[in-house]
Amino acid sequence: MERRIYSGLIGLFLLSTSHECFSQETLSFSGVQGSERAELAAVVLQQAYQQIDISVLFKPMNAKQGAESANAGDLDGVLARIDGIDVFYPNLIQVPIPINYLELGVFSTRQDLDIDGWYSLSPYKVGIIKGMLIAERNSELFEITRLDNYAELVASLLAGSIDVAVMPKQNGKDAISHYGKNQIKDLGVVLDNALLYHYLHRRHRELVPQISAILKAMLLDGTIQRLTIKQASDNKELGGERD
């Protein structure tokens, strides 16, 4: 009888430890839909969180919806956004190690525009993605139309309802390539640039020092750069196959 009880306890112990070994916490982060920068950040963060036995789930959304969902606690944070969004979304805590950057470009069907800085956009109707804070900071300078995604920006340019679209350069090029609209051109301007940071909801504040240390080590030893270059190259090859 005692032997059977002892054997049963061992079985329960093995079952529970087996479950612990194979169960893993998962954190869900929003990323801007259609953004290569979000995809690159997801690859970096997957490797970073793996070091503390946490898996990462990427939830594509428009910029505004993604930040609002993370701030409300519906998600665990955002993959990568510019510095300072925690001013507008106070439940988000910045992990203070940059994991990527963006260059903001200007796209149009017109080639006669002389664009040189934010003030030069004032005569034109400008389209942006909702929640693009780097553009919102300058929105008092020009007439602005906020749209949900890059497909809508491309459609609005073609319809003539906006004169220019302000988009991260790579996202803009990808959107134009994807929708096959060769009448839209990159005007060759870098309107602005910014480093991108990971943000966690404040309920995960205890993870900030850990993930900061991991990302710092990955930045200094070149891992972030290597992962980013490899993923960008893979994306390019897949894009070529689709074409």
Side-chain angles (χ1 to χ4, degrees):
M1 179 69 176
E2 289 179 359
R3 181 176 295 175
R4 285 199 299 272
I5 293 172
Y6 180 68
S7 297
L9 289 172
I10 291 176
L12 287 171
F13 172 75
L14 291 173
L15 182 63
S16 64
T17 54
S18 174
H19 176 73
E20 287 173 5
C21 289
F22 288 99
S23 65
Q24 187 178 45
E25 183 181 2
T26 299
L27 298 182
S28 298
F29 300 124
S30 68
V32 178
Q33 189 169 21
S35 168
E36 185 187 42
R37 295 296 171 187
E39 295 174 6
L40 299 179
V43 171
V44 170
L45 291 175
Q46 282 165 355
Q47 179 150 328
Y49 277 98
Q50 190 176 41
Q51 297 184 43
I52 51 175
D53 296 319
I54 294 174
S55 61
V56 168
L57 191 61
F58 171 23
K59 297 277 191 178
M61 299 179 176
N62 73 48
K64 187 173 188 293
Q65 180 189 16
E68 288 177 346
S69 295
N71 189 64
D74 298 330
L75 297 171
D76 299 297
V78 296
L79 287 173
R81 297 292 299 271
I82 64 170
D83 182 38
I85 71 162
D86 45 344
V87 174
F88 303 95
Y89 302 103
N91 288 329
L92 299 182
I93 301 173
Q94 185 190 90
V95 176
I97 308 297
I99 60 173
N100 213 311
Y101 71 96
L102 65 80
E103 290 184 334
L104 212 56
V106 181
F107 298 80
S108 181
T109 57
R110 297 173 54 182
Q111 305 304 302
D112 61 329
L113 305 182
D114 184 19
I115 306 298
D116 182 21
W118 290 106
Y119 283 95
S120 66
L121 294 175
S122 58
Y124 307 115
K125 293 178 288 185
V126 179
I128 68 168
I129 295 293
K130 289 177 182 176
M132 185 187 290
L133 294 178
I134 193 170
E136 292 284 3
R137 290 171 178 172
N138 297 279
S139 61
E140 74 280 358
L141 302 174
F142 42 80
E143 180 184 345
I144 194 167
T145 298
R146 298 168 179 84
L147 298 164
D148 284 329
N149 53 56
Y150 295 111
E152 290 185 8
L153 278 177
V154 170
S156 295
L157 280 172
L158 292 172
S161 54
I162 58 175
D163 299 310
V164 299
V166 173
M167 298 184 273
K169 274 188 169 289
Q170 191 58 53
N171 296 347
K173 291 174 182 177
D174 290 344
I176 293 165
S177 173
H178 181 73
Y179 297 108
K181 309 301 182 183
N182 55 13
Q183 38 296 44
I184 300 172
K185 302 296 182 184
D186 178 357
L187 298 185
V189 178
V190 177
L191 194 62
D192 212 334
N193 54 67
L195 296 172
L196 300 178
Y197 298 86
H198 178 42
Y199 288 82
L200 282 163
H201 189 273
R202 64 180 181 180
R203 68 172 173 268
H204 299 300
R205 60 169 57 88
E206 75 283 353
L207 291 176
V208 173
Q210 287 178 279
I211 207 67
S212 295
I214 291 169
L215 288 173
K216 183 177 181 180
M218 292 173 63
L219 181 66
L220 294 176
D221 71 10
T223 299
I224 289 178
Q225 184 180 21
R226 286 194 299 273
L227 288 172
T228 299
I229 291 172
K230 182 181 184 304
Q231 185 63 35
S233 175
D234 290 348
N235 288 351
K236 187 174 181 180
E237 289 179 11
L238 287 171
E241 290 172 6
R242 285 194 299 268
D243 294 338

